[in-house]
Amino acid sequence: MSSPPSDVRSGLTGGEEAQVAPGSAHPAYGGRPLTVAVTGAAGVLGGRVAARLVDSPGVRKVLAIDDRRGEAAGVQWRVLDVRDPAVAERLRGVDVVVHLAMDLGMESDPRVRSAYNVRGAQTVVTAAAAAGVHRVVLCTSAMVYGALPDNEVPLAEDAELRATEEASLVGDLLEIERLAHRAPRAHPGLQVTVVRPAVLVGPGVDTVLTRHFEAPRLLVVAGSRPCWQFCHLDDLASALEYAALGLVEGELAVGCDGWLEQEEVEALSSIRRMELPASLALGTAARLHRLGLTPAPAGDLAYTMYPWVVSGSRLHEAGWRPRYSNEEVLAELLAQVAGKHAVAGRRLGGKEAATSLGAAGATVALVGTAALVRRARKRRRY
């Protein structure tokens, strides 16, 4: 593979050993057992994290907070909206809050989604401080670093956040990042840890980037340099356990070791590319989004064009290791999306999908549109 060895890829030097073996083992923890609240505990990620913390030797009790009951066992459920200020009363006696109540739906109204995501994070942080909680863990995404042609590979955790503020989920995440930065000053004594996963993959995960692989052709923008790094849902859950226990603090990036070049992804997936000029790809994506035909702005196409690989060095230094490799996560993703076809953010039946060419993530309609443009131009030449 073209990726360098894991010690180079993670930014580590020789001689560093993990505290635990890769996999589902829990980290070594010598402090007093903690009471941890997990918001969004009825969701895909929240349920996994709550279940993992129930089994963690460093956790005494888990409070599961959501607007509905989920399936996590061994927790104490608190059913309420995280935007309700009454959440402060429910956090009395809690040591750590892991905030995972986020609307990541591709079909959500952007204004409603942003109001929920940002207001929810603000309310939880303020409530945690009022209740005497000493640590809040927030989960955003490595997308906040931005995908740019001059990005270092890999990016350090303290790299500048250069993502754009377009009306997409990334804008919500950047606002939550700013909240995390302000919180310790606004609430002295409150520690805030931010965890930024790479392309998240796992059962129930449906995002702009996972839908990239539902297309019969992988869109490649001419002159771009895609680098793919994944993060399995279970690896993110284990990283969040480290953060909840205070074994690592600050801004953390998490993902598989290393990355895959575009050619490696095509070889592993057996999906051929369709290459388009940047002006056509970006221009068409912008027009489709303005017309409401695609759920994400053209700027999100950059995440399939340029690298935004992260080192994860802070977690590695704390002893954390990913259980999965990029190759394994890609294989799982391909199995999950088999038989699915996304066009303009909608999944179509086989007959409809057979007449459309796929594209990258939120711009799944782009290639099909470009093909129509080329056919129209060809007709005009005759």
Side-chain angles (χ1 to χ4, degrees):
M1 309 301 286
S2 61
S3 305
S6 60
D7 59 339
V8 176
R9 286 178 273 168
S10 65
L12 300 179
T13 57
E16 295 176 352
E17 298 294 334
Q19 293 175 335
V20 296
S24 60
H26 297 280
Y29 174 74
R32 66 177 180 85
L34 303 173
T35 296
V36 182
V38 179
T39 69
V44 173
L45 175 59
R48 255 180 167 76
V49 172
R52 184 176 181 88
L53 292 175
V54 165
D55 293 334
S56 176
V59 175
R60 180 176 68 88
K61 182 169 66 174
V62 176
L63 270 63
I65 299 175
D66 213 323
D67 57 7
R68 66 191 191 281
R69 290 180 67 91
E71 298 180 357
V75 303
Q76 294 185 12
W77 282 98
R78 301 288 185 267
V79 180
L80 79 163
D81 190 314
V82 293
R83 295 168 295 179
D84 187 340
V87 72
E89 288 302 316
R90 305 302 178 95
L91 295 179
R92 299 289 178 188
V94 169
D95 299 299
V96 182
V97 175
V98 181
H99 177 58
L100 303 174
M102 292 277 288
D103 180 359
L104 306 178
M106 292 178 61
E107 284 76 28
S108 300
D109 179 279
R111 288 174 294 183
V112 175
R113 183 201 62 219
S114 294
Y116 178 81
N117 290 340
V118 177
R119 176 68 183 277
Q122 291 171 336
T123 303
V124 168
V125 169
T126 302
V133 175
H134 65 262
R135 182 183 307 113
V136 172
V137 179
L138 301 174
C139 186
T140 62
S141 168
M143 294 176 79
V144 297
Y145 291 109
L148 296 103
D150 62 344
N151 273 350
E152 293 186 0
V153 181
L155 290 161
E157 272 97 344
D158 58 1
E160 182 183 356
L161 305 187
R162 299 197 289 165
T164 62
E165 293 278 358
E166 290 186 85
S168 71
L169 177 61
V170 180
D172 299 354
L173 301 180
L174 286 170
E175 185 57 38
I176 292 170
E177 290 273 351
R178 287 190 284 269
L179 170 67
H181 182 72
R182 296 191 302 264
R185 297 196 300 271
H187 308 289
L190 180 67
Q191 297 177 349
V192 180
T193 299
V194 180
V195 180
R196 302 165 177 160
V199 180
L200 192 60
V201 174
V205 176
D206 178 25
T207 68
V208 167
L209 293 166
T210 60
R211 290 195 181 189
H212 173 66
F213 295 92
E214 296 182 14
R217 296 289 184 270
L218 297 179
L219 174 65
V220 176
V221 176
S224 66
R225 178 199 170 197
C227 291
W228 289 93
Q229 181 187 37
F230 301 99
C231 178
H232 195 279
L233 203 62
D234 289 338
D235 283 337
L236 176 55
S238 69
L240 288 166
E241 180 186 10
Y242 269 76
L245 295 175
L247 299 175
V248 62
E249 300 176 348
E251 293 80 30
L252 317 172
V254 55
C256 301
D257 285 337
W259 61 92
L260 298 173
E261 304 287 349
Q262 179 67 26
E263 293 76 13
E264 294 174 309
V265 168
E266 292 169 16
L268 291 166
S269 65
S270 299
I271 305 175
R272 292 183 295 170
R273 70 168 63 192
M274 184 172 189
E275 191 164 313
L276 295 176
S279 58
L280 176 59
L282 294 170
T284 306
R287 288 192 294 272
L288 290 173
H289 182 61
R290 284 197 302 270
L291 292 170
L293 298 177
T294 54
D300 281 9
L301 187 60
Y303 292 96
T304 70
M305 295 171 59
Y306 303 119
W308 47 292
V309 172
V310 291
S311 71
S313 58
R314 290 178 180 168
L315 275 164
H316 279 71
E317 289 164 1
W320 178 89
R321 294 293 184 272
R323 177 181 178 183
Y324 296 89
S325 68
N326 282 301
E327 294 84 351
E328 290 171 328
V329 179
L330 176 58
E332 182 169 330
L333 172 58
L334 293 170
Q336 290 171 2
V337 303
K340 297 177 181 177
H341 303 275
V343 172
R346 300 184 304 272
R347 291 206 173 96
L348 306 178
K351 184 176 180 180
E352 291 178 292
T355 63
S356 302
L357 291 175
T363 59
V364 286
L366 176 60
V367 174
T369 302
L372 293 174
V373 171
R374 286 198 302 273
R375 285 199 293 270
R377 288 175 176 171
K378 184 180 293 186
R379 285 195 297 270
R380 285 198 297 269
R381 287 199 297 267
Y382 291 103

